[in-house]
Amino acid sequence: MNAIEELAESFSRLPGIGKKSGYRLASFLLKGPQSFNSLFARQIENLQSRVRPCSVCGAWTENDPCPICQDSGRDRTTICVVEQAQDVTTIDASHEYTGLFHVLGGVISPLDGIGPDKLRIASLIDRVKTGEVKEVILATNPTVEGDTTALYVHKLLMDVRPDLAVTRLASGLPVGGDLEYIDKVTLARSFRGRSKL
């Protein structure tokens, strides 16, 4: 295996990149300036030493606690619970949510050997116990594992704080979607989650 094939193989291990895309990326780097390649290599090499999970919410950060947890302008009465650290960036980029976050670090998945004890659920419970939090938004993915995790977390939160508002992100038809092309599961969720006009 030559150097291009080795690099293409490494790229193809990244999510969303296949063998063809791996070769395209390797060719791009081969044609590009050495200064870019050196900078790119240093960024990859230093990534794990510079970035770590926030000790409060679990989002990726270079400063602990992260900028979101430190921001006094954010709504401290609301916590949005997500599966992975990258979900924080996605939700925050919408500018629709201005509260705090909590990253679980995955979902309950017995087939993969992931139980509740492997997730950051205990630290969420500790954050909610203080009484400052009024609402927890469960923003796990609408999958069997995501729904199971949301139900489990909901039960634990209700045991600790029965007065707490626990909500779930709405799911269903996308804006601009055409019913003809909507899958059955999404359509079923849309009917179950319908709201009054």
Side-chain angles (χ1 to χ4, degrees):
M1 189 180 287
N2 64 34
I4 295 176
E5 289 171 339
E6 286 176 5
L7 185 56
E9 178 68 30
S10 292
F11 277 130
S12 70
R13 292 176 59 194
L14 298 172
I17 308 245
K19 265 207 175 317
K20 275 186 170 181
S21 295
Y23 272 103
R24 232 180 356 260
L25 291 170
S27 296
F28 171 81
L29 292 175
L30 191 60
K31 292 182 215 170
Q34 179 63 40
S35 59
F36 173 78
N37 292 346
S38 297
L39 174 65
F40 188 49
R42 276 195 310 276
Q43 289 169 336
I44 292 172
E45 186 177 2
N46 295 328
L47 184 65
Q48 289 180 322
S49 63
R50 289 179 61 187
V51 180
R52 60 194 168 281
C54 172
S55 60
V56 178
C57 72
W60 295 123
T61 185
E62 289 187 47
N63 304 310
D64 195 18
C66 72
I68 290 175
C69 289
Q70 288 185 45
D71 185 350
S72 60
R74 294 192 81 97
D75 176 7
R76 301 203 166 277
T77 65
T78 310
I79 295 178
C80 181
V81 178
V82 295
E83 293 179 16
Q84 303 294 344
Q86 59 265 32
D87 299 333
V88 171
T89 307
T90 303
I91 292 173
D92 200 45
S94 74
H95 303 293
E96 288 295 318
Y97 176 71
T98 58
L100 301 175
F101 288 92
H102 189 86
V103 179
L104 293 175
V107 288
I108 297 169
S109 179
L111 292 176
D112 297 319
I114 302 171
D117 56 312
K118 297 217 170 140
L119 304 178
R120 298 182 66 251
I121 297 173
S123 56
L124 172 64
I125 301 299
D126 289 342
R127 290 178 75 185
V128 167
K129 281 181 181 176
T130 64
E132 184 180 14
V133 177
K134 304 292 182 232
E135 180 185 7
V136 171
I137 303 166
L138 299 175
T140 55
N141 290 319
T143 60
V144 172
E145 294 85 359
D147 290 344
T148 301
T149 304
L151 289 171
Y152 181 83
V153 171
H154 176 259
K155 184 189 178 321
L156 290 180
L157 290 171
M158 289 295 93
D159 289 346
V160 174
R161 288 262 319 274
D163 62 315
L164 186 69
V166 180
T167 59
R168 184 102 162 96
L169 285 184
S171 61
L173 299 176
V175 174
D178 192 325
L179 285 176
E180 183 180 354
Y181 303 108
I182 303 298
D183 63 276
K184 291 177 186 174
V185 174
T186 302
L187 192 55
R189 280 182 177 272
S190 298
F191 272 100
R192 286 195 303 270
R194 66 189 184 274
S195 57
K196 234 179 183 178
L197 290 176

